[in-house]
Amino acid sequence: MSNSWSVGNAHSPSVTISGDQVEILNFRDIDWVKLDKTPTDSIQTRKQIEQDGYRTLNFPLSDIQTLKVAVSHFSAISEIAHLFILFELKDKTVIGLSVEARKEQGEDYTLIGGLTAKFEVIYLLGSHNDLVGLRQQRYEDVYIYPIKAKPAEVQSLFKVAAARTNQLDKNPELYHLFFKNCTTEIVSLVNQLSDQKYPWFVQHLAPGDAGKTLYELDMIDVKADSFEELQKLTLYKP
């Protein structure tokens, strides 16, 4: 494995669940605003900011209460977006899960790279300020949809996600733009616990339509008379 990962990809997380206790190693909480303000030639300072952005997080599994799906639109083409999920604890702590292509230093994500097994898959576990804040720094529109689910169901999903996180930490797999991406991976986790059918086309080719799909499946815990109204209500504004 490479020892020269790009910023934010340096450490792969792992999760230990013992009874009701959860420990996440390499939980990411990078201060992207501070990093963005640090000159690129201040290499040691930037490395320290990144290193300080990883920590160990401990909490009771039973504290996980709610689930939200975030869809971040980074393109003028509405069907193109990045999807990630947010687990929320009783004390409002957020554990986000973002499935991404793991890049090395100097690499940029490209369509060709995503199609030709150039990158590994990484399950990033991070804070709301990190995962949502990074998209805010990029001026992306982020919609956060609360999902109808019981705490026990959300806790079960977290355990499935933890197992997959550990699997990839030990045995990395290759990312694919259409067949192993942010949406297909998360849907595969949900499919282990639910019979709800999520459209193949949206999974593989149009993750930006995830919000509309969830609305049509009546999975979003927000009252709205239309999807357009729902978007106005769920657009994240810090």
Side-chain angles (χ1 to χ4, degrees):
M1 297 181 71
S2 171
N3 59 3
S4 58
W5 298 110
S6 64
V7 176
N9 284 183
H11 301 290
S12 175
S14 61
V15 186
T16 300
I17 301 177
S18 180
D20 190 47
Q21 294 303 307
V22 178
E23 180 176 80
I24 301 176
L25 299 181
N26 293 321
F27 180 77
R28 206 180 77 178
D29 190 14
I30 294 175
D31 187 338
W32 294 102
V33 173
K34 185 176 181 180
L35 191 65
D36 190 53
K37 291 180 178 178
T38 303
T40 55
D41 58 358
S42 300
I43 298 174
Q44 291 304 317
T45 301
R46 291 177 64 86
K47 284 184 177 180
Q48 190 61 53
I49 293 171
E50 180 184 15
Q51 188 60 40
D52 291 344
Y54 288 92
R55 56 190 172 93
T56 299
L57 185 68
N58 293 276
F59 58 91
L61 178 67
S62 57
D63 276 7
I64 297 177
Q65 297 294 299
T66 61
L67 177 71
K68 297 176 181 178
V69 171
V71 182
S72 188
H73 292 265
F74 56 86
S75 169
I77 302 172
S78 64
E79 291 82 5
I80 298 176
H82 178 65
L83 182 147
F84 55 103
I85 57 177
L86 304 169
F87 298 93
E88 188 171 286
L89 308 186
K90 288 179 180 178
D91 65 2
K92 304 305 179 183
T93 295
V94 170
I95 297 103
L97 168 60
S98 179
V99 182
E100 302 183 15
R102 193 179 193 185
K103 301 181 296 295
E104 297 182 13
Q105 286 184 12
E107 281 187 328
D108 291 319
Y109 181 82
T110 63
L111 291 177
I112 296 299
L115 287 168
T116 57
K118 181 178 178 63
F119 311 107
E120 293 179 7
V121 179
I122 185 170
Y123 270 43
L124 294 172
L125 295 175
S127 68
H128 180 281
N129 289 339
D130 181 313
L131 296 178
V132 178
L134 175 59
R135 274 81 197 174
Q136 291 283 296
Q137 284 292 103
R138 297 172 178 169
Y139 301 102
E140 299 177 13
D141 288 333
V142 183
Y143 297 89
I144 300 180
Y145 303 106
I147 301 300
K148 295 178 181 178
K150 297 176 181 178
E153 295 171 330
V154 183
Q155 291 159 20
S156 294
L157 179 60
F158 180 84
K159 289 193 286 187
V160 170
R164 179 66 171 148
T165 300
N166 292 338
Q167 180 184 24
L168 290 173
D169 180 49
K170 294 178 180 178
N171 299 294
E173 298 176 14
L174 296 175
Y175 176 94
H176 192 281
L177 176 63
F178 296 139
F179 302 111
K180 194 174 290 184
N181 60 39
C182 61
T183 310
T184 60
E185 280 290 308
I186 288 173
V187 170
S188 72
L189 299 177
V190 175
N191 284 346
Q192 296 182 48
L193 304 169
S194 173
D195 294 328
Q196 183 71 269
K197 299 301 181 183
Y198 195 88
W200 186 95
F201 182 82
V202 178
Q203 286 186 59
H204 296 269
L205 302 175
D209 286 341
K212 187 175 183 180
T213 298
L214 292 169
Y215 174 74
E216 292 172 346
L217 292 172
D218 193 30
M219 295 178 68
I220 299 177
D221 197 15
V222 176
K223 291 182 179 180
D225 293 328
S226 67
F227 179 63
E228 290 71 26
E229 180 185 347
L230 176 69
Q231 283 196 300
K232 292 178 182 178
L233 295 171
T234 55
L235 178 63
Y236 178 71
K237 298 177 181 178

